[in-house]
Amino acid sequence: MRLSKSVQISEEEIRYINFIAYDALIDFDKKSLPVFSEFNQVIDSSIFILPMQLAAKIGGHAEDWYTIGGDGIVMYVDSTSHYIMLYDERLPGPDIRWTLSKLVYLIKSGASEDRPNTFYYADHSEDIERYNAFAYQFTCPDVVLQECGINEAADIIEYCKIPFSYANIKSRLLKTASKIKSLKLLEEALKKNFRQYIELFTSKHKRCERMQ
């Protein structure tokens, strides 16, 4: 699977990234699209998501204190065993959603715990393609999109609410995606979580087709 001209991610890595993306969706108890329908939140009392600007204000700093970190940053706080995810609230919603998803990769892969009490950047890393590979599955899980029949870029933008460039690539990736046997149990669990969303989505679109 090639995500850019310069970075080749092995099939083994892709399986691992897909696994932790699905595991994260289940762990976060996501049941509908878009993922991160709201941005400011606390997940499972261990992950705190805030705008950089608000975090700076709370800390008594200038509003642009954290923006040197780019679009988003994450830190694992060793003393309290929790994570802080900060994003630039000036970004459009789809870009915030994509940024937060990349930061989730840093949490679920264990990277942020390797150097606790240190900020990791969403967009300043040689591993950025791995972050993006995770975000493609976390924001647009193949199994949910396939159940709903969402495969065109315009539909991915509408329902997953991610940036156009990534939606366009995701649409192409869906057309060449193959089943990964080791993900079957996670896929079934994810379909169960999204069952109501999938049923409502498909019934709504069947009604629309009958009316045309």
Side-chain angles (χ1 to χ4, degrees), residues 25-179:
L25 287 166
I26 293 167
D27 191 33
F28 291 2
D29 198 29
K30 296 299 180 181
K31 297 180 178 179
S32 63
L33 299 175
V35 173
F36 289 130
S37 56
E38 58 181 283
F39 302 131
N40 300 359
Q41 56 180 295
V42 178
I43 299 176
D44 193 25
S45 73
S46 64
I47 301 174
F48 295 80
I49 305 175
L50 294 169
M52 292 176 173
Q53 292 79 4
L54 176 59
K57 183 178 180 181
I58 292 172
H61 306 298
E63 189 177 82
D64 62 352
W65 177 265
Y66 291 108
T67 55
I68 190 173
D71 292 346
I73 49 182
V74 62
M75 175 193 288
Y76 174 69
V77 182
D78 189 39
S79 60
T80 56
S81 300
H82 76 275
Y83 303 87
I84 300 173
M85 293 169 59
L86 303 179
Y87 64 89
D88 188 346
E89 66 180 353
R90 296 171 300 185
L91 294 171
D95 293 286
I96 292 174
R97 189 169 291 107
W98 194 259
T99 295
L100 292 178
S101 299
K102 290 189 291 184
L103 295 178
V104 173
Y105 171 80
L106 284 161
I107 293 174
K108 294 298 291 186
S109 67
S112 59
E113 289 189 45
D114 290 343
R115 292 174 60 196
N117 310 315
T118 302
F119 277 118
Y120 279 74
Y121 305 115
D123 50 2
H124 294 172
S125 172
E126 61 186 14
D127 287 330
I128 189 66
E129 292 297 345
R130 290 174 178 81
Y131 299 4
N132 284 333
F134 176 91
Y136 281 121
Q137 288 298 333
F138 186 74
T139 62
C140 315
D142 283 0
V143 65
V144 175
L145 268 57
Q146 290 163 355
E147 289 291 313
C148 292
I150 300 171
N151 49 47
E152 298 301 327
D155 293 330
I156 293 170
I157 291 171
E158 180 179 356
Y159 298 110
C160 301
K161 301 193 183 305
I162 62 172
F164 168 78
S165 59
Y166 295 115
N168 196 35
I169 293 172
K170 179 65 181 185
S171 177
R172 297 202 303 270
L173 291 174
L174 279 170
K175 292 177 174 63
T176 59
S178 56
K179 286 287 185 181

